[in-house]
């Protein structure tokens, strides 16, 4: 393949003509497909349906400790659920509180609580002139949405192949207005990479000026490998104990859920943190709610039993996700390999492939896909304030469409990348 | 019966001796009973167990509108759930958002959102020097807990037999710092009375100085009658339309849940309000969560089907609750009638009986009960800042204990009231 940048104006014009024809043809197909969000496919949800058999009208609804899950009480969640999610994160049940369905809500509440009441006795953020957050980007749009909602200034931290640029992070945390950093450390959204041991070590040994600085460790994809073979899986150190070794166990709040393990929006979620942090969380929580849905917690405990149960279940997810990732990667390689008009990640897990176009082409690709009936994640959404400084990043979410649909999506996407790139190159000829 | 107040010192001393003997005897029984919280009894929870058969591994998990309840989406809750809870409150589904399990959490979030972001564009409460709330009392301790948590000044509004003292309410809302009033309008916690038509009318036509003043209408017991006969049921006007008639539909936020209909802590909850208010709620909600547990919403819709299904189910609850209320009221009448040492309500619904001791006796009664193994709601909890100005009010929650246990509780309670009253009367002899 000849890289597009080596083509002359005439060649580019000819190419544009060919691609435009192909594109008009694709448009005519009347596609209506969605690759925008990390939604599990129906086939994945089907796999969890046996969970619906766990309880019948004659079921014993008491947990191992004798708690009647149908009644009020047990603010921290049933012990079995704390153990199950603790195992998944590699921490003791005593360091876990289990909530309702959404870890996003738990994160929102953590920020909101800090804003209204401060962190473990420090000044509430609403009383401060300025609060800043470090936002490794490209990152998870909903994280940035929370901090933006609370008027928190977001500082973009570039991502390297190993995780956030730690030189910058170490520098920025010297500012006492910097109160936190958003992290999706494993199979990160959208890059699909996992923070290296070195990045984790440096993260666990930060010296923030602010006593209420916290690492918001959203371990959303901690068991979401695409491959069963250990050597094809990323590995992430357990951070709570890493921070503890440095005497900094209060510096981290870890979040997780089973949204992409059991049911999206009907799983169980948790926070894992030091005793001091959990006490702080509980101080508001006890005002906020009597107890979360313990029936659903017990349903999950009886269904998965333990970490091994989760791992076995995740292999089934992988069997559905793996071919989808491979299909997209194959199409990208086949259609775009060697053209020099895009780079992309090849994740071993998670829900996303991250694609970078040539500078200034992402929006155009998005629009072209949209006009032809394929919705991508809104371009820019992976950056704070929805502003991608170079207009290059596109998050590809291959989970929801069927294989047949996905092939159409990927091919259309590649076509749009080519067309947008040619148009961009012609601008300068 | 001779009222205690007419007894002379000698008679009181003799009575004290007798009562003390009875009390020591009761203490010796080693009771360990709890009448403190409005928790459903296991027999009530058993009645909802058929809900656990609604879904099996082969169930159709799509709702009437084709929404796959197992996946993300549908922020406002599934339409069927909005219709079901709307019917229960007498409002259109369009005016309802269905949340997770806990209406308490929805109320907390409403206050928190007002504190951090203001109400529909008004100044966030955290930026104001002073925010005040009107708190009809005795009232629900967890309401007061929320306002106290946010540093909101609570103003006690005395309750009359018809509801809050509206003369005072109308006066206080002239203060622009007054931003809300907590109401449990039907079978109110703890009095068990229902606001009269007149009180509701005046409430729906308030002229608050603050544009962000809201009535926080916690309709927790809207279908919780003790008697099946209509003439033995309280009736509450539908407030959203009453406010609308006055052009004040933005003035009310109504809350409800199925916690005491299906499962306590595993039901579904809602807010009912004007379109403007719902838009304001959704503005934060869309940052906070992707969607609440739609599987549980659909489970409730399929189980109850409609308001009639809820009403039929509530008759079964009544069949369990009614004899408990009657038992306690019988014991109170038999043991304390005519003694002039206490008054109590005789509710037609809800979860509580409210008891008033002679001035300055409630704490003593609480302690005596506790020492003999019966836990009551913490005395004072029914007032803002947990301070009952006259030390008289005790909330009796008859739902959780069995009939046998309840009889022991009620008799011990009556005995403790007698003993504490005699001791109080002797102080002044």
């Amino acid at each position: 393949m000849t890289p597009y940048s080596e083509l002359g104006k005439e060649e580019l014009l000819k190419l544009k003509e060919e691609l435009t024809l192909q594109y008009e043809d694709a448009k005519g197909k009347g596609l209506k497909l969605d690759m925008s969000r990390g939604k599990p496919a129906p086939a994945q949800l089907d796999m969890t349906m046996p969970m619906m058999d766990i309880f019948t009208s004659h079921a014993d609804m008491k947990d191992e400790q004798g708690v009647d899950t149908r009644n009020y009480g047990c603010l921290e969640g049933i012990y079995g659920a704390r153990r199950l999610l603790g195992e998944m994160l590699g921490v003791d049940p005593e360091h876990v509180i289990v909530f309702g369905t959404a870890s996003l809500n738990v994160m929102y509440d953590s920020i909101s609580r800090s804003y209204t009441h401060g962190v473990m006795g420090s000044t509430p953020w609403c009383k401060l002139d300025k609060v800043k957050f470090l936002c490794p980007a490209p990152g998870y749009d909903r994280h940035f949405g929370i901090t933006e909602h609370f008027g928190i200034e977001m500082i973009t931290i570039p991502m390297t192949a190993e995780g956030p640029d730690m030189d910058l992070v170490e520098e920025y945390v010297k500012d006492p207005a910097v109160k936190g950093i958003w992290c999706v450390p494993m199979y990160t959204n959208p890059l699909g990479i996992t923070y290296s041991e070195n990045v984790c070590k440096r993260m666990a040994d930060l010296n923030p000026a602010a006593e209420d600085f916290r690492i918001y460790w959203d371990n959303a994809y901690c068991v979401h490998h695409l491959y069963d073979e250990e050597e094809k899986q990323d590995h992430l150190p357990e951070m709570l104990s890493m921070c503890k070794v440095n005497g900094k166990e209060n510096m981290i709040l870890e979040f997780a859920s089973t949204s992409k393990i059991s049911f999206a929006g009907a799983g169980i979620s948790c926070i894992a943190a030091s005793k001091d942090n959990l006490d702080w969380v509980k101080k508001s929580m006890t005002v906020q709610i009597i107890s979360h849905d313990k029936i659903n917690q017990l349903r999950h405990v009886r269904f998965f039993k333990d970490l091994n149960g989760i791992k076995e279940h995740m292999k089934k997810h992988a069997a559905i996700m793996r071919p989808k990732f491979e299909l997209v990667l194959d199409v990208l390689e086949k259609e775009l390999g060697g053209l020099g008009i895009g780079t992309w990640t090849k994740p071993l897990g998670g829900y996303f492939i991250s694609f970078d176009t040539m500078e200034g082409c992402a929006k155009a690709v998005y629009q072209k896909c949209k006009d032809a009936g394929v919705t991508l994640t809104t371009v820019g959404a992976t950056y704070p304030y929805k502003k991608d400084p170079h207009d290059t990043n596109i998050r590809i979410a291959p989970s929801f469409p069927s294989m047949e649909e996905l092939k159409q999506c990927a091919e259309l996407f590649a076509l749009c990348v080519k067309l947008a790139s040619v148009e961009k190159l012609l601008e300068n000829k």
Side-chain angles (χ1 to χ4, degrees), chain A:
Chain A
M1 293 297 221
T2 314
Y4 277 18
S5 59
E6 295 174 14
L7 301 178
K9 189 172 178 182
E10 288 308 309
E11 289 168 303
L12 284 171
L13 282 170
K14 185 158 169 271
L15 188 54
K16 185 184 170 186
E17 205 174 312
E18 282 171 30
L19 292 169
T20 304
L21 274 175
Q22 288 174 36
Y23 178 65
E24 291 306 321
D25 187 46
K27 247 179 161 176
K29 285 183 190 159
L31 297 182
K32 210 183 155 195
L33 300 172
D34 195 331
M35 277 210 304
S36 71
R37 306 291 327 174
K39 281 173 81 167
Q44 290 174 267
L45 302 168
D46 289 344
M47 282 164 20
T48 309
M49 283 304 288
M51 189 186 268
M52 295 290 105
D53 294 329
I54 290 288
F55 292 136
T56 67
S57 50
H58 299 95
D60 172 17
M61 303 299 286
K62 288 193 173 153
D63 79 342
E64 307 155 48
Q65 325 259 303
V67 172
D68 187 341
T69 56
R70 306 168 305 174
N71 219 330
Y72 289 123
C74 208
L75 181 69
E76 299 163 339
I78 61 171
Y79 191 79
R82 295 167 67 199
R83 188 187 55 219
L84 179 70
L85 296 187
E87 263 189 65
M88 186 173 84
L89 296 174
V91 304
D92 288 337
E94 284 66 29
H95 287 293
V96 178
I97 295 178
V98 179
F99 292 77
T101 54
S103 60
L104 185 69
N105 205 339
V106 182
M107 289 184 258
Y108 179 100
D109 280 3
S110 297
I111 301 298
S112 185
R113 186 187 316 115
S114 306
Y115 189 85
T116 59
H117 288 81
V119 179
M120 279 174 49
S122 66
T123 308
W125 296 351
C126 67
K127 306 293 182 200
L128 299 175
D129 290 332
K130 181 65 96 180
V131 174
K132 301 177 189 172
F133 248 65
L134 306 184
C135 300
Y140 180 32
D141 55 349
R142 291 186 186 271
H143 286 164
F144 305 152
I146 292 173
T147 24
E148 187 171 4
H149 190 61
F150 284 92
I152 294 168
E153 184 181 319
M154 295 184 280
I155 298 166
T156 300
I157 302 290
M159 286 290 286
T160 73
E162 287 190 55
D165 180 332
M166 289 308 294
D167 291 342
L168 278 178
V169 172
E170 285 163 355
E171 195 55 36
Y172 274 118
V173 299
K174 292 175 185 165
D175 177 354
V178 170
K179 303 297 189 188
I181 180 169
W182 286 120
C183 298
V184 183
M186 190 151 186
Y187 301 132
T188 187
N189 179 348
L191 293 176
I193 64 155
T194 296
Y195 291 12
S196 71
E197 177 99 14
N198 183 42
V199 161
C200 291
K201 272 190 178 150
R202 289 173 72 179
M203 194 73 82
D205 202 20
L206 284 175
N207 292 305
E211 59 171 11
D212 51 353
F213 174 91
R214 296 289 181 273
I215 301 163
Y216 294 78
W217 197 251
D218 181 3
N219 211 342
Y221 307 105
C222 55
V223 288
H224 299 60
H225 310 290
L226 288 176
Y227 295 89
D228 299 347
E229 305 87 330
E230 281 253 351
E231 65 278 12
K232 284 190 180 173
Q233 298 178 346
D234 286 350
H235 295 276
L236 183 78
E238 196 289 288
M239 275 292 277
L240 191 60
S241 54
M242 265 181 105
C243 289
K244 191 174 180 175
V245 165
N246 301 326
K248 298 174 183 178
E249 60 172 338
N250 285 347
M251 194 168 64
I252 185 162
L253 298 173
E254 185 165 1
F255 307 90
S257 82
T258 68
S259 286
K260 288 181 183 104
I261 299 173
S262 56
F263 293 120
I268 56 175
S269 64
C270 74
I271 198 168
S274 70
K275 195 184 166 304
D276 289 346
N277 274 323
L278 293 187
D279 285 346
W280 164 66
V281 170
K282 278 188 274 182
K283 233 169 144 174
S284 288
M285 202 179 166
T286 189
V287 179
Q288 193 168 19
I289 198 163
I290 304 172
S291 48
H292 283 283
D293 188 343
K294 298 187 296 298
I295 292 181
N296 203 30
Q297 290 176 8
L298 186 59
R299 191 182 281 118
H300 278 71
V301 171
R302 295 231 176 119
F303 183 71
F304 289 117
K305 295 185 179 69
D306 55 23
L307 177 58
N308 204 46
I310 292 180
K311 282 184 174 170
E312 286 306 310
H313 193 70
M314 292 312 294
K315 286 184 187 169
K316 298 182 199 165
H317 279 290
I320 294 174
M321 293 286 275
R322 191 168 52 238
K324 293 189 174 181
F325 272 73
E326 289 176 348
L327 183 154
V328 172
L329 293 172
D330 283 351
V331 170
L332 294 179
E333 188 55 44
K334 183 166 156 265
E335 296 293 327
L336 303 176
L339 298 184
I341 57 174
T343 57
W344 55 92
T345 56
K346 298 174 185 65
L348 296 174
Y351 262 68
F352 305 105
I353 294 165
S354 181
F355 189 94
D356 279 315
T357 64
M358 287 165 47
E359 192 143 336
C361 288
K363 273 190 198 144
V365 171
Y366 173 86
Q367 196 55 48
K368 283 183 200 300
C369 282
K370 189 166 185 191
D371 294 343
V374 171
T375 308
L376 299 173
T377 305
T378 311
V379 162
T382 52
Y383 283 83
Y385 307 106
K386 302 190 179 64
K387 281 180 196 151
D388 176 355
H390 302 288
D391 186 27
T392 58
N393 190 248
I394 296 174
R395 183 180 81 165
I396 297 174
S399 55
F400 192 74
S402 68
M403 288 291 280
E404 179 54 35
E405 292 168 340
L406 193 62
K407 189 159 183 285
Q408 294 178 305
C409 287
E411 285 172 351
L412 179 77
F413 175 78
L415 176 61
C416 294
V417 170
K418 288 184 199 170
L419 189 52
S421 304
V422 166
E423 285 171 355
K424 173 61 76 179
L425 288 166
L426 278 169
E427 280 175 21
N428 301 317
K429 294 281 172 176

